[in-house]
Amino acid sequence: MSLVQRFGRLQFFHAVLSRKRLCVILIALAAVGGAFMRAQDVAGPAAQKSQEQALVELANKERQQAGLKPLAWDAGLAAAAHAHAVRMAAEGPISHRYGGEPDLPQRAAAAGAHFSLIEENIAIGNSPLQIHQGWMNSQGHHDNLLNPKIDRIGVALVPTNGVLYAVADYAQGVAQMSNSAVEASVAKIIQAKGLTLLADSAAARQYCAQGSSSDRGTGSGMRPRFLMRWQSADITNLPPQMAQALASGQFKQASVGACPLQSDSASGAPVFSGYRVAVLLY
């Protein structure tokens, strides 16, 4: 048998063998592919976290070069960013808000973030560097990242169809204080004005907890001559109306109460962060 004949038989044998074992081979390949995908799934979150950290580092390097303080990682902002990035990847064209989705302040607050100012950058890109450079070349995104007022950041990168859906939420954080700590802080300011603080805060707390449109008073007992409640992210400064009342010299005693935030459009303060306080003057 010639070499050509032998070679021809070899090719034929290989073709026959391939047809007979095709199903087995495909099953084996599927098993290998499945194992590979499972390995990717295990490694995926770590790689994704590394990319997110890279985006944070790029942001802080940019801020350092601009003479600004670095941004601290905020888990609440990151959770809000991730939820929105997942939605961007699922719904297609990127947007800051989709149908039925709360706006940025509400969804960030629901995720556990506490802030007095919040901003957001979104993008689609191939890498953290490309995304960062895109933001720096866009005036609005550039200004968000280099805002001197913000001090916290949460980032999410969701890989889908070969690209990264990116969300970065920036905020000016608000330290969380207990109601008793809030009351003590405001009471200290009032005492410095020369007023005596009443030991019983029940009436002020009751008034604080009433709805913003309610002026039902404080129940039985000594009646205040001036009452006011407000919401603010900064409890170190009293509202002008309260400051004027204290400066008038008409009042000698005060009661301070704190309570959970409410929807209070009259206060002019954001309802998604900060503190709610009531002060009664006698």
Side-chain angles (χ1 to χ4, degrees):
M1 182 181 293
S2 68
L3 181 61
V4 173
Q5 288 175 320
R6 290 180 181 178
F7 183 66
R9 290 187 63 185
L10 179 61
Q11 285 183 314
F12 177 76
F13 174 76
H14 176 74
V16 172
L17 178 63
S18 296
R19 285 196 296 270
K20 288 182 178 179
R21 301 182 59 187
L22 181 58
C23 290
V24 176
I25 293 170
L26 289 176
I27 292 171
L29 288 173
V32 172
F36 177 72
M37 290 302 294
R38 287 193 294 273
Q40 277 194 321
D41 290 341
V42 172
Q48 185 174 333
K49 184 176 181 180
S50 177
Q51 288 182 316
E52 291 170 348
Q53 184 59 40
L55 195 55
V56 173
E57 291 174 358
L58 287 167
N60 280 334
K61 183 178 180 180
E62 204 75 52
R63 288 178 64 85
Q64 182 182 22
Q65 292 175 349
L68 300 172
K69 292 182 179 180
L71 302 175
W73 181 261
D74 187 287
L77 292 177
H82 178 77
H84 189 65
V86 168
R87 188 147 187 182
M88 287 201 313
E91 301 204 20
I94 62 174
S95 173
H96 287 284
R97 187 179 183 185
Y98 295 97
E101 184 182 33
D103 60 18
L104 174 60
Q106 276 65 46
R107 65 175 183 260
H114 302 282
F115 48 89
S116 57
L117 169 70
I118 189 166
E119 306 168 333
E120 183 174 78
N121 283 352
I122 60 176
I124 299 176
N126 295 320
S127 69
L129 179 59
Q130 184 190 54
I131 291 166
H132 174 75
Q133 289 174 339
W135 284 341
M136 294 309 297
N137 291 328
S138 167
Q139 191 63 51
H141 297 89
H142 170 279
D143 293 347
N144 282 345
L145 195 154
L146 295 183
N147 186 342
K149 294 182 179 179
I150 62 172
D151 54 19
R152 300 184 185 183
I153 185 174
V155 167
L157 293 173
V158 174
T160 302
N161 298 325
V163 295
L164 297 171
Y165 286 79
V167 177
D169 288 340
Y170 314 103
Q172 182 180 45
V174 173
Q176 288 306 288
M177 300 171 61
S178 66
N179 285 344
S180 59
V182 172
E183 291 172 358
S185 180
V186 175
K188 185 176 180 180
I189 298 173
I190 291 176
Q191 287 176 310
K193 304 293 184 181
L195 280 74
T196 300
L197 191 70
L198 297 180
D200 187 0
S201 297
R205 291 171 181 165
Q206 177 187 348
Y207 181 64
C208 180
Q210 291 177 10
S212 58
S213 61
S214 174
D215 284 311
R216 292 176 295 170
T218 60
S220 59
M222 186 169 59
R223 305 292 294 182
R225 296 167 52 205
F226 180 92
L227 18 61
M228 183 177 180
R229 60 190 165 220
W230 68 93
Q231 296 184 174
S232 175
D234 180 11
I235 58 171
T236 62
N237 292 306
L238 300 177
Q241 188 177 356
M242 176 57 65
Q244 291 173 7
L246 293 173
S248 69
Q250 301 178 41
F251 310 102
K252 304 300 181 184
Q253 295 177 306
S255 177
V256 179
C259 60
L261 289 166
Q262 296 183 18
S263 178
D264 190 351
S265 58
S267 71
V271 301
F272 46 81
S273 187
Y275 312 96
R276 183 173 174 88
V277 186
V279 173
L280 312 182
L281 301 181
Y282 303 87

